């Protein structure tokens, strides 16, 4: 007979109950392994925290840790039906992420090094908790990738698209304009589609929100694809309209006042209105409640392939020890 599943009770109603031994042990070991990996990549984690806090393009990432915690808590009842088991092949994921982190450092590419730093922790979760627990936590594990600040690479094309939309609408609205690249010369003054006007902050935040909504509120892949596409297209078009509106308003109130007004409205009102409008339009098409997202433990328990994959003798203790050993070896190799 299979062992009785360990009960993991993390209720959302606030009634704290003790986490039984198998889960306490596994989570404690995962914490130790993750701490070793985070300490190894401390520079990358510090850089990411700096970007989240100090660069407004990435301020929304400050919400990611509580969102990930919320997604995990939503699966508490399902996790209660499985026993955490180690998955030795998960060490390959940790090694691959270690290699990515090392390559990023060697080449001086922060994005690659930071992706490796996050990937090491993701791999540790799979290795220590096992396949079934990781499948149940697939969404928060995948969304942890959004902890890595990215988007600078797409700023130039976004600037070009924004300029093209703004110029087209400016001509259609009857305002004469002469265009040279990202410079738009109008009777009210010269406007430049700078990096801050590219809309990258809006786009990245919307894509992050879109992925969260897609997998917690939709069951149909077609609806997910449509909604995620809208989360890409709508911010880009809206940013072009915003740039045009600034140019058009400047013809009447002056460039300085129009630009100042634009920063206030775009920063505090425009993004909220577009987001609310998109979510409101999608609301009637939602197919499920957030707590029902992902796979069910009952389906995974009867999956023979998963059961066979978790028959290794490494154990959570051995898995955590192996990860810590890899972190120590990598640290010593960096000192040599």
């Amino acid at each position: 007979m299979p062992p009785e599943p360990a009960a993991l009770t993390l209720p959302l109603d606030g009634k704290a109950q003790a986490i039984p031994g198998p889960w306490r042990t596994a989570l404690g070991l995962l914490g130790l392994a993750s701490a070793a990996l985070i300490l190894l990549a401390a520079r990358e984690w510090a850089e990411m925290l700096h970007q989240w806090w100090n660069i407004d393009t990435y301020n929304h990432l400050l919400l990611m840790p509580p969102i990930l915690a919320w997604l995990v808590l939503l699966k508490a009842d399902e996790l209660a039906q499985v026993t955490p088991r180690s998955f030795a092949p998960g060490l390959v994921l940790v090694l691959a992420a270690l290699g990515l982190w090392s390559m990023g450092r060697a080449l001086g590419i922060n994005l690659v090094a930071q992706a490796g730093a996050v990937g090491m922790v993701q791999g540790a979760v799979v290795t220590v908790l096992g396949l079934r627990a990781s499948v149940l936590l697939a969404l928060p594990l995948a969304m942890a990738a959004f902890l890595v600040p990215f988007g600078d690479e797409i700023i130039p094309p976004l600037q070009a698209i924004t300029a093209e939309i703004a110029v087209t609408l400016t001509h259609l609205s009857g305002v004469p304009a002469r265009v040279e690249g990202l410079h738009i010369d109008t009777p009210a003054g010269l406007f430049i589609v700078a990096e801050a006007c590219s809309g990258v902050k809006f786009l990245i935040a919307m894509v992050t929100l879109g992925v969260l909504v897609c997998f917690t509120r939709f069951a149909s892949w077609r609806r997910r694809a449509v909604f995620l596409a809208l989360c890409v297209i709508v911010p880009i078009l809206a940013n072009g309209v915003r740039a045009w509106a600034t140019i058009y308003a400047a013809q009447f109130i002056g460039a300085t006042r129009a630009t100042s007004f634009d920063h206030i409205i775009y920063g505090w009102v425009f993004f909220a209105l577009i987001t609310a409008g998109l979510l409101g339009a999608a609301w009637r098409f939602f197919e499920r409640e957030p707590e029902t997202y992902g796979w069910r433990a009952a389906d995974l328990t009867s999956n023979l392939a998963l059961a066979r994959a978790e028959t290794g003798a490494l154990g959570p203790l051995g898995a955590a020890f192996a990860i810590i050993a890899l972190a120590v070896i990598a640290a010593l190799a960096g000192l040599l």
Side-chain angles (χ1 to χ4, degrees), residues 2 6 16 21 23 36 38 45 71 93 106 125 144 147-148 154 156 163 165 181 209 231 252 263-264 281 292 297 329:
W23 273 103
I38 291 172
W45 284 100
L71 289 172
L93 300 177
V125 173
L147 292 170
V148 180
I154 61 174
I165 295 172
L209 176 63
C231 287
F252 304 98
H263 288 308
I264 296 172
T292 64
I329 292 171

Side-chain angles (χ1 to χ4, degrees), residues 210-224:
V211 172
L212 179 64
V213 171
C214 279
F215 289 94
T216 56
R217 302 312 303 265
F218 294 115
S220 162
W221 279 101
R222 188 180 71 170
R223 292 189 179 185
R224 288 173 179 172

